[in-house]
């Protein structure tokens, strides 16, 4: 009897093994991707392009998106990448400055003339060399994305020349590069994490904020702010970041697929920025925002006294090589 039970057990195990061999199990890894804005934003466009490109190239990975700062502010998200609790993220250089200080060079006010020049720098040797700095800080930077040029909004008055901005309490990113320039202009610069900004504007704790049109439109800033001044004071790159705990475990072939997906994400963000530059102002006007141009040359001149500080921090040769890129 014992031998018969043993034989039946052996046959059942063999049948199960045969079934398993005939039906291979597809192990799919789901990766968490975090970003600060909605899916209807340049970050959302980048995340969608990344997921579509990666999932088309391999069935082994699926991207789960966590928009609207669901996994924390950008600083917390980057720390999560280092710890391995978050797999991927789209972030601004306003946050990476605290982890890879050299990235702050791109946040110098009035460094870039236009989007074409900025993209040439980011895609060229300067930008690619900067990506190589991230593994030293426990992060993998796959590609440069984009947010566009930052502009000023506020509820007090139109800002057309440097004198108009004096005394305004403006939320800035936690970025000393930006803060130094704003203080030079007489602004009461108020560093604040993005998830806190809407409440601060509603309560009048701050008068205004500054962001690219891609952000101003996607968050419906017309609900909180009256005036938009097209200062174009800072070009705002974005980054496609990955946790080393995931990346280091990939094969070379899979690493190449993630890199290709990141390039697609960057292109998705740039396309969003190009589109919002075309139709964003009309959207904002239609919702009642008062929009004005500024004396750009006067603002450039007003922040020049801060440039020696930037030269000392990042090297005059690097700053000027970016500024003079044709």
């Amino acid at each position: 009897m014992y031998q018969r039970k043993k034989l039946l057990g052996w046959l059942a195990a063999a049948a199960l093994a045969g079934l398993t061999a005939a039906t291979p199990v597809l192990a799919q890894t789901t990766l968490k991707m975090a970003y600060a804005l909605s899916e209807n934003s340049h970050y959302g466009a980048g995340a969608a392009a990344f997921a579509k490109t990666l999932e088309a190239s391999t069935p082994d990975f699926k991207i789960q998106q966590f928009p609207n700062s669901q996994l924390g502010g950008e600083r917390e998200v980057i720390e999560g990448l280092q710890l391995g609790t978050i797999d991927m993220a789209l972030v601004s250089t306003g946050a990476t400055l605290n982890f890879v200080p050299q990235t702050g060079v791109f946040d110098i006010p009035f460094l870039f003339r236009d989007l074409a020049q900025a993209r040439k720098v980011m895609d060229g040797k300067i930008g690619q060399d900067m990506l190589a700095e991230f593994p030293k800080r426990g992060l993998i930077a796959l590609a440069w994305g984009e947010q566009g040029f930052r502009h000023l909004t506020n509820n007090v008055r139109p800002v057309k020349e440097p004198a108009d901005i004096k005394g305004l309490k403006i939320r800035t990113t936690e970025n000393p590069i930006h803060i130094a320039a704003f203080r030079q202009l007489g602004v009461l610069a108020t560093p604040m994490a993005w998830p806190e900004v809407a409440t601060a504007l509603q309560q009048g704790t701050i008068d205004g904020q500054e962001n690219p049109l891609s952000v101003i439109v996607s968050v419906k800033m017309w609900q909180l702010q009256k005036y938009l001044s097209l200062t174009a004071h800072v070009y705002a790159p974005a980054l496609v970041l990955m946790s080393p705990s995931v990346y280091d475990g990939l094969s070379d072939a899979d690493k190449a697929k993630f890199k290709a997906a990141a390039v697609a994400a960057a292109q998705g963000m740039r396309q969003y920025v190009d589109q919002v530059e075309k139709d964003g102002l009309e959207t904002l006007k239609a919702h009642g925002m008062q929009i004005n141009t500024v004396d750009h040359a006067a603002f450039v001149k007003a922040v020049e006294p801060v440039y020696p500080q930037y030269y000392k921090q990042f090297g005059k040769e690097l700053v000027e090589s970016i500024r003079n890129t044709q």
Side-chain angles (χ1 to χ4, degrees):
M1 188 70 177
Y2 171 78
Q3 292 296 331
R4 186 168 180 271
K5 284 184 177 180
K6 187 175 180 181
L7 177 63
L8 289 173
W10 183 86
L11 289 171
L16 180 60
L19 180 63
T20 303
T23 313
V25 176
L26 297 178
Q28 187 180 63
T29 301
T30 298
L31 301 177
K32 294 185 289 186
M33 175 179 273
Y35 51 96
L37 301 172
S38 71
E39 291 182 74
N40 183 31
S41 69
H42 57 290
Y43 283 158
F50 186 97
K52 181 179 179 180
T53 303
L54 181 67
E55 292 167 14
S57 68
T58 173
D60 297 339
F61 299 96
K62 182 176 178 61
I63 300 298
Q64 183 180 8
Q65 297 183 40
F66 291 86
N68 295 312
S69 301
Q70 290 179 38
L71 301 184
E74 289 193 327
R75 180 193 288 265
E76 289 81 12
V77 164
I78 294 174
E79 290 170 348
L81 292 172
Q82 291 176 318
L83 294 170
T85 56
I86 296 173
D87 304 309
M88 306 208 61
L90 304 176
V91 303
S92 70
T93 49
T96 62
L97 180 66
N98 297 306
F99 300 86
V100 184
Q102 302 96 308
T103 59
V105 71
F106 301 126
D107 284 89
I108 293 177
F110 305 110
L111 182 66
F112 295 98
R113 294 183 303 276
D114 52 37
L115 288 174
Q117 179 208 10
R119 291 170 181 177
K120 188 171 184 179
V121 170
M122 307 316 288
D123 293 341
K125 187 177 187 304
I126 292 172
Q128 298 309 300
D129 285 350
M130 196 69 74
L131 294 181
E133 294 295 318
F134 281 77
K136 301 173 186 177
R137 302 304 176 105
L139 297 162
I140 302 297
L142 295 175
W144 288 106
E146 184 173 86
Q147 303 188 79
F149 279 91
R150 303 179 80 89
H151 304 287
L152 179 76
T153 70
N154 83 97
N155 280 326
V156 179
R157 56 181 172 266
V159 171
K160 298 180 180 180
E161 55 188 43
D164 298 328
I165 203 172
K166 286 185 178 180
L168 293 181
K169 193 169 187 180
I170 302 298
R171 176 266 176 177
T172 69
T173 61
E174 299 170 80
N175 184 331
I177 311 301
H178 293 186
I179 293 167
F182 276 117
R183 287 180 176 163
Q184 176 67 30
L185 291 167
V187 169
L188 302 175
T190 307
M192 186 180 295
W194 178 248
E196 302 169 19
V197 173
T199 300
L201 289 171
Q202 288 169 336
Q203 294 176 347
T205 308
I206 52 177
D207 298 317
Q209 60 87 55
E210 45 85 48
N211 256 307
L213 286 178
S214 56
V215 176
I216 292 168
V217 173
S218 66
V219 302
K220 301 180 180 179
M221 191 60 74
W222 60 79
Q223 296 176 347
L224 298 167
Q225 298 271 261
K226 184 175 181 180
Y227 303 105
L228 167 62
S229 300
L230 300 175
T231 49
H233 51 277
V234 169
Y235 171 71
L239 279 153
V240 183
L241 297 184
M242 191 169 181
S243 173
S245 64
V246 177
Y247 185 81
D248 292 345
L250 298 176
S251 66
D252 288 345
D254 281 339
K255 286 177 180 177
K257 291 172 184 176
F258 274 80
K259 176 70 175 178
V263 171
Q267 188 59 32
M269 283 185 259
R270 288 178 178 181
Q271 288 173 351
Y272 186 101
V273 168
D274 286 340
Q275 190 61 43
V276 83
E277 291 286 337
K278 289 179 182 177
D279 57 31
L281 293 181
E282 291 305 316
T283 299
L284 296 171
K285 286 178 184 176
H287 286 92
M289 286 196 86
Q290 296 183 31
I291 302 172
N292 66 271
T293 56
V294 305
D295 185 342
H296 197 262
F299 274 95
V300 172
K301 184 177 180 181
V303 301
E304 278 292 338
V306 188
Y307 262 71
Q309 175 181 325
Y310 301 145
Y311 291 148
K312 183 177 180 181
Q313 188 169 356
F314 300 109
K316 185 173 183 178
E317 183 179 351
L318 175 59
V319 173
E320 291 303 311
S321 67
I322 295 172
R323 210 176 193 185
N324 296 327
T325 298
Q326 300 297 321

